[in-house]
Amino acid sequence: PFVIPECLRGQIEEFEARRDISSISNYRRLLDNNRTRESLYEYFSQILEQHGPMELNNKLLVEQYEHFPEEAQKIVEGEGGLKSFLLKSYNFLMVDNCICLRK
């Protein structure tokens, strides 16, 4: 059987520890992004429930988006922008250039 030489075992243990930490960090970041994304979906759902369908360039939507924390805006932009971000959720659909809630 293959045996790792004694002189390399410390380096391998260090590598495996870093890999495990990296995996945990990536998982936490993914969970945080998912929580943020779901919070944003919920927030826009509430706005649309109160005001009805809106065009994406509607002043209210734009102003609300501009007040999001920078981290949340980065997630939205990473998803392709507000339109692409919202349409990735099954809660929203586009009808005649307006974002609407599915019922």
Side-chain angles (χ1 to χ4, degrees), residues 28-73:
R28 284 185 182 147
R29 188 176 13 231
L30 178 64
L31 282 178
D32 289 344
N33 284 351
N34 285 339
R35 286 185 194 122
T36 301
R37 191 177 297 117
E38 289 305 315
S39 294
L40 294 173
Y41 288 153
E42 186 176 317
Y43 185 73
F44 280 110
S45 291
Q46 291 173 2
I47 291 173
L48 293 174
E49 281 178 8
Q50 292 175 358
H51 300 281
M54 296 182 173
E55 291 185 3
L56 283 173
N57 62 357
N58 180 284
K59 183 179 178 181
L60 176 64
L61 289 179
V62 172
E63 287 177 353
Q64 294 301 315
Y65 176 70
E66 289 174 349
H67 287 93
F68 286 171
E70 184 178 334
E71 192 172 300
Q73 288 184 11

Side-chain angles (χ1 to χ4, degrees), residues 1-101:
F2 176 77
V3 178
I4 298 172
E6 187 68 36
C7 63
L8 296 177
R9 288 185 187 170
Q11 292 175 357
I12 290 175
E13 289 173 5
E14 182 181 332
F15 169 77
E16 288 176 346
R18 286 185 184 183
R19 184 193 64 192
D20 290 342
I21 290 170
S22 176
S23 296
I24 291 169
S25 295
N26 288 338
Y27 180 71
R28 284 185 182 147
R29 188 176 13 231
L30 178 64
L31 282 178
D32 289 344
N33 284 351
N34 285 339
R35 286 185 194 122
T36 301
R37 191 177 297 117
E38 289 305 315
S39 294
L40 294 173
Y41 288 153
E42 186 176 317
Y43 185 73
F44 280 110
S45 291
Q46 291 173 2
I47 291 173
L48 293 174
E49 281 178 8
Q50 292 175 358
H51 300 281
M54 296 182 173
E55 291 185 3
L56 283 173
N57 62 357
N58 180 284
K59 183 179 178 181
L60 176 64
L61 289 179
V62 172
E63 287 177 353
Q64 294 301 315
Y65 176 70
E66 289 174 349
H67 287 93
F68 286 171
E70 184 178 334
E71 192 172 300
Q73 288 184 11
K74 285 181 182 178
I75 292 172
V76 172
E77 295 306 316
E79 296 283 331
L82 191 57
K83 177 181 177 181
S84 176
F85 175 68
L86 290 176
L87 293 180
K88 288 184 179 183
S89 168
Y90 292 109
N91 298 329
F92 305 97
L93 66 128
M94 287 293 289
V95 177
D96 296 327
N97 293 322
C98 290
I99 193 79
C100 305
L101 284 173

